Amino acid sequence: MLAAIITCEESGMDELREKVAIITGAASGIGRAGALRFAEEGARLVLADLDAEAGEALAAGLRAAGRAAIFQRTDVAQAAQCEALVAAAVAHYGRLDCAFNNAGISDGPVPPGTADYPLELWDRMIAVNLSGVFYCLRYQLRAMLKTGGGSIVNTASIAGQVGLAGIPGYVAAKHGVVGLTRTVAVEYGARNIRCNAVAPGFIETPMTKSVFELQQFREMAAVTVPAARIGRAAEIADVAVWACSDRASYVNGAVLAADGGYLAR
Ligand code: NAP
């Protein structure tokens, strides 16, 4: 991991040079890959997650590699903790330029259907996957408005654009993330804040590992995904880096599919 950072530094990649970025869900999977890619591109990081041990270790590793990174344990389902996360970024670095609002949970093992979907699972899914993004946006926007703008990427999903049987809470929350993303883009575009979403397809991470390891699932993915394979977390992180960077300066309110072509069918 750190060798990769040094290699990229030597090759002069600095798309996010000196930008201060918050990444939620940074201790694992797509968020962790995002932390590594944002760091490679020169961003100064505030990493957030429920998993303090893994998050602190990641931040320490990045600092050891000469990168600026702090970790703050944050439950994105708690508005006050999201406010404190943004406050920590501003206190430590003096500003906030970018955010990758990525923390999320899945509802597996999949319940039988909407009629039987557990009420407590619905509440938890909306609290983390939708309200968690709203809370982060609320305080991030306030900070970005004070310093003249910024760029935000929210992690949605293919489940934010089509219905998927058996996971109504996840699907509803991710559709909500898409709607929030577009609304923020419309509201704040004129004030130099861009807000986009990345919509991953089937990506192998600790969240999905147990399901994706099944031969049956791999066979299904090979047929339903035009790329004929499951994706990697780094392939989502690359989209987030690009969308946060100035190279995407006219991209606002977009839902960037990174799904091997799944939604194109
Ligand atoms: P992951 O490996 O489980 O990583 C998610 C991270 O978010 C974990 O470290 C988790 O901590 C943390 N987290 C969970 N609830 C949180 C909360 N309330 N506050 C702060 N952090 C919290 O999963 P992933 O696959 O990388 O997923 C990242 C995002 O991508 C999610 O929004 C997910 O819905 C989305 N996504 C994933 C896929 C896929 O195929 N993997 C596809 C489409 C979209 P704990 O481990 O301690 O819970």
Side-chain angles (χ1 to χ4, degrees):
M1 144 192 136
L2 301 177
I5 292 169
I6 290 160
T7 304
C8 290
E9 183 178 45
E10 285 165 354
S11 67
M13 294 166 72
D14 59 358
E15 294 287 345
L16 300 173
R17 190 184 179 87
E18 297 299 311
K19 303 254 192 212
V20 176
I22 285 175
I23 300 178
T24 70
S28 175
I30 293 168
R32 181 183 165 83
L36 298 179
R37 285 291 293 116
F38 274 63
E40 284 172 358
E41 298 293 346
R44 295 177 286 167
L45 297 176
V46 182
L47 308 178
D49 204 287
L50 282 178
D51 185 343
E53 196 180 335
E56 292 281 13
L58 179 59
L62 289 169
R63 287 194 298 273
R67 301 294 162 160
I70 59 170
F71 173 80
Q72 174 139 331
R73 188 185 183 279
T74 306
D75 179 354
V76 297
Q78 304 295 325
Q81 294 188 27
C82 297
E83 184 175 21
L85 175 64
V86 174
V90 173
H92 196 78
Y93 298 114
R95 56 185 299 116
L96 178 66
D97 302 296
C98 304
F100 183 22
N101 294 320
N102 165 80
I105 53 174
S106 73
D107 39 6
V110 178
T114 300
D116 297 306
Y117 195 71
L119 295 178
E120 58 279 10
L121 185 56
W122 171 269
D123 289 345
R124 187 72 193 139
M125 208 50 64
I126 297 299
V128 176
N129 287 4
L130 180 54
S131 297
V133 175
F134 167 68
Y135 297 147
C136 286
L137 287 170
R138 189 168 199 266
Y139 301 107
Q140 291 160 359
L141 288 164
R142 293 177 184 190
M144 289 176 178
L145 286 169
K146 285 186 185 148
T147 49
S151 179
I152 299 168
V153 177
N154 300 319
T155 302
S157 169
I158 51 176
Q161 302 194 70
V162 294
L164 293 174
I167 52 169
Y170 188 82
V171 167
K174 292 299 185 180
H175 273 71
V177 169
V178 168
L180 258 178
T181 300
R182 291 180 173 142
T183 297
V184 168
V186 169
E187 289 174 334
Y188 296 97
R191 282 183 271 179
N192 198 33
I193 296 176
R194 295 184 298 105
C195 186
N196 294 293
V198 60
F202 304 124
I203 309 300
E204 189 153 352
T205 68
M207 177 191 276
T208 55
K209 199 168 188 298
S210 60
V211 177
F212 290 4
E213 271 172 359
L214 301 172
Q215 184 60 23
Q216 189 187 356
F217 187 90
R218 289 190 174 270
E219 283 166 12
M220 183 278 288
V223 174
T224 59
V225 180
R229 68 170 173 85
I230 289 164
R232 298 183 294 275
E235 293 177 301
I236 307 306
D238 278 338
V239 177
V241 164
W242 175 78
C244 272
S245 79
D246 292 341
R247 281 199 294 159
S249 54
Y250 205 54
V251 179
N252 189 26
V255 182
L256 302 163
D259 62 359
Y262 181 88
L263 290 177
R265 294 168 312 149

